[in-house]
Amino acid sequence: MTLIKSISGIRGTIGGTTNDNLTPIDAVKFAAAYGTWLKDYAGKEKLTVVIGRDARLSGEMIQNLVVSTLVGLGIDVVDLGLSTTPTVEIAVPLEKADGGIILTASHNPKQWNALKLLNERGEFLDAEQGAVILELAEKEDFNFSEVDDLGKIIKNDSYIDVHIDEVLELPLVDKEVIKKAGFKVVVDGVNSTGGIAIPKLLEELGVEVIKLYCDPTGHFPHNPEPLKEHLGDICKLVVEEQADFGIVVDPDVDRLAFISNDGEMFGEEYTLVACADYVLGKTKGNTVSNLSSSRALRDITEKHGGTYEAAAVGEVNVVTKMKANNAIIGGEGNGGIIYPESHYGRDSLVGTALFLMLMAERGGTVAELRASYPSYFMSKKKIQLTPDLDVDALLEAMHDKYKNEQVSTIDGVKIDFPENWVHLRKSNTEPIIRIYTEAKSQQAANDLADHIIDEIKEVAGLD
């Protein structure tokens, strides 16, 4: 398995050989590169970095390595312990820290881990900054501190509670309105830190919580990516318990999916649509999502009198476009909600509170809410990469093949047809090509994806 170095951080599988996997040596090297870059970027002698991790099995080992490396560089570390990605993002500015590192491989299976790197605003580094860190790691040009100048470790495990308080203080979140609605909700925390944070938030909001896989052991009970094929247990439990809906998060709690009261997927693409519907109904403004997200957000935004824009895939790209367009809500179609009133990061706690407000004020069932939105269906498929596959040449060939259609090359190749679209891109987080399609029926989306995959295989000479 190749160690993946990208805009989404540095990630790899645990074990194996250095430079091919996320071994202890690689973890130290990249932590040292980040700390070295941060010293130059911050331009001051004494630095503080916030660190938190999800519950995956390798988390404690990787955290010990990263923390010790930063201490060795003379950097103080605020150790949040078990945390969530959005919690660390919020903690960085509250601690007046110079940066942050989240130790999580997001939705990847248990053998993966990663270092996600933040700036002093608690936002992801841009591609240019990431490139400098990769270069420093390659050169291994590090200057560690002498014994009297080592950093210190400050442990603070209160930040999930602080994060929940921040959500409750948002102007568009009214605890009493949600409490009065008397919701009953099933939560699948995939045995990671969402199993701590989401039930705590719901209980603060007066919601009856039924926990499923909420023990943060790191033993994921199913594939942790919140897709329909992985979520049979919660879909069944929502119906059995006659719950109002279900909530599913990924291991680091920046992706949010809902299960409707009838046990069907609300659709992770529609998490952002619903939250945007609520926010735009209260505050006029614009929205942004990435090129792989549903057209439904555009439709809802225009219905509320706003303007929709698409960004390249990757949270930092969406945030940059949101700032440029003064978007009041945005995110990614994988269930990532970015609400600047809170912070510029995907946040399932914020998304959960906004969705509860929408349901409390609108009434009716979650299935009825879903039926009220423009109906689009997506297919999300992938092709495994092999070392000899020239992805750039392949994407260029597909671009040329469809050059008479509306084509975007901001991020891979997106081809917009009148009734549907296809987006082909190399993943930032896995050694695959992603093939996303959207159409007016599931069959049409699947057929378009299969057709494009056949064409890609033909161009690449694959079986």
Side-chain angles (χ1 to χ4, degrees):
M1 181 60 68
T2 305
L3 188 68
I4 299 171
K5 308 160 189 176
S6 78
I7 200 168
S8 295
I10 300 136
R11 71 177 64 200
T13 47
I14 299 298
T17 57
T18 56
N19 294 319
D20 284 330
N21 304 80
L22 188 62
T23 67
I25 289 169
D26 293 294
V28 168
K29 188 164 70 172
F30 287 113
Y34 172 72
T36 301
W37 167 81
L38 194 62
K39 281 182 164 184
D40 182 59
Y41 172 75
K44 59 183 188 182
E45 276 301 305
K46 202 59 190 166
L47 301 180
T48 302
V49 170
V50 176
I51 296 197
R53 65 179 177 91
D54 69 13
R56 62 185 60 234
L57 300 172
S58 61
E60 191 173 1
M61 175 190 76
I62 296 294
Q63 181 158 359
N64 288 338
L65 291 162
V66 169
V67 168
S68 296
T69 302
L70 294 178
V71 167
L73 284 165
I75 296 171
D76 291 343
V77 172
V78 179
D79 175 7
L80 306 190
L82 286 173
S83 193
T84 79
T85 285
T87 304
V88 177
E89 290 170 347
I90 278 174
V92 170
L94 287 176
E95 285 291 320
K96 297 183 172 56
D98 302 285
I101 303 178
I102 309 147
L103 304 171
T104 173
S106 300
H107 60 274
N108 290 62
K110 69 176 183 179
Q111 64 268 33
W112 289 81
N113 213 330
L115 282 68
K116 288 182 170 183
L117 310 176
L118 304 175
N119 62 22
E120 77 282 6
R121 295 184 301 277
E123 297 169 15
F124 286 113
L125 306 189
D126 62 32
E128 195 178 323
Q129 293 167 331
V132 173
I133 290 167
L134 293 178
E135 194 178 327
L136 285 167
E138 195 69 34
K139 289 180 179 174
E140 297 187 28
D141 185 15
F142 312 130
N143 184 18
F144 290 95
S145 295
E146 295 182 13
V147 69
D148 290 330
D149 300 319
L150 297 176
K152 61 180 184 291
I153 301 167
I154 306 109
K155 292 188 180 291
N156 186 338
D157 62 1
S158 68
Y159 259 99
I160 285 178
D161 293 328
V162 172
H163 186 176
I164 288 168
D165 289 342
E166 293 276 309
V167 173
L168 297 179
E169 286 166 16
L170 290 170
L172 292 191
V173 175
D174 188 327
K175 180 176 174 177
E176 293 309 313
V177 168
I178 294 170
K179 189 174 182 179
K180 194 176 174 184
F183 291 117
K184 181 181 184 181
V185 174
V186 181
V187 178
D188 178 350
V190 72
N191 284 344
S192 190
T193 50
I196 303 169
I198 299 294
K200 267 192 172 186
L201 171 67
L202 293 174
E203 284 158 5
E204 281 288 325
L205 290 166
V207 175
E208 182 184 344
V209 181
I210 296 155
K211 296 180 184 180
L212 175 69
Y213 309 136
C214 285
D215 188 11
T217 60
H219 290 284
F220 303 149
H222 54 76
N223 184 307
E225 188 162 15
L227 303 177
K228 182 177 181 178
E229 56 266 32
H230 308 147
L231 302 176
D233 290 351
I234 187 171
C235 290
K236 187 178 167 197
L237 193 56
V238 166
V239 174
E240 284 176 1
E241 292 285 348
Q242 297 182 320
D244 293 290
F245 60 97
I247 293 173
V248 184
V249 291
D250 66 338
D252 70 322
V253 204
D254 62 0
R255 286 177 64 174
L256 174 65
F258 297 117
I259 311 299
S260 294
N261 53 293
D262 56 6
E264 295 296 320
M265 292 291 291
F266 186 72
E268 63 173 355
E269 289 290 329
Y270 283 81
T271 302
L272 178 54
V273 174
C275 291
D277 188 20
Y278 173 67
V279 170
L280 292 168
K282 302 286 185 184
T283 323
K284 296 299 175 194
N286 304 324
T287 65
V288 170
S289 66
N290 67 37
L291 286 162
S292 283
S293 300
S294 175
R295 283 180 179 174
L297 180 62
R298 178 200 65 185
D299 295 353
I300 288 294
T301 305
E302 290 173 354
K303 175 188 156 192
H304 284 288
T307 303
Y308 165 79
E309 298 258 4
V313 173
E315 184 171 319
V316 67
N317 298 318
V318 174
V319 166
T320 300
K321 179 82 77 170
M322 286 179 70
K323 289 177 177 178
N325 295 351
N326 295 314
I328 59 170
I329 189 167
E332 302 191 277
N334 58 13
I337 306 299
I338 302 174
Y339 185 45
E341 184 74 27
S342 173
H343 65 117
Y344 277 106
R346 293 182 302 173
D347 190 332
S348 297
L349 280 75
V350 168
T352 295
L354 295 175
F355 187 79
L356 285 164
M357 284 299 298
L358 176 68
M359 288 305 303
E361 290 194 354
R362 189 165 295 192
T365 67
V366 170
E368 288 165 350
L369 176 70
R370 175 64 180 83
S372 74
Y373 290 134
S375 203
Y376 294 103
F377 297 84
M378 291 189 80
S379 171
K380 298 182 179 183
K381 301 197 176 186
K382 53 194 174 187
I383 295 176
Q384 199 72 31
L385 292 183
T386 55
D388 57 340
L389 197 61
D390 187 339
V391 179
D392 294 333
L394 186 62
L395 293 177
E396 193 173 335
M398 294 302 290
H399 172 268
D400 291 345
K401 187 176 178 68
Y402 288 98
K403 63 187 176 189
N404 294 328
E405 302 292 342
Q406 187 181 330
V407 181
S408 166
T409 55
I410 295 171
D411 181 13
V413 176
K414 184 173 184 181
I415 307 156
D416 267 295
F417 302 104
E419 289 293 311
N420 47 39
W421 56 258
V422 58
H423 189 197
L424 314 171
R425 56 179 292 275
K426 187 176 178 181
S427 171
N428 288 332
T429 57
E430 298 175 70
I432 57 174
I433 296 174
R434 295 193 187 277
I435 300 102
Y436 284 13
T437 60
E438 183 172 69
K440 291 291 182 73
S441 73
Q442 192 61 59
Q443 189 64 49
N446 291 342
D447 290 348
L448 177 59
D450 292 339
H451 174 70
I452 293 292
I453 288 170
D454 288 343
E455 289 190 337
I456 289 172
K457 287 181 175 177
E458 190 180 328
V459 169
L462 299 170
D463 293 327

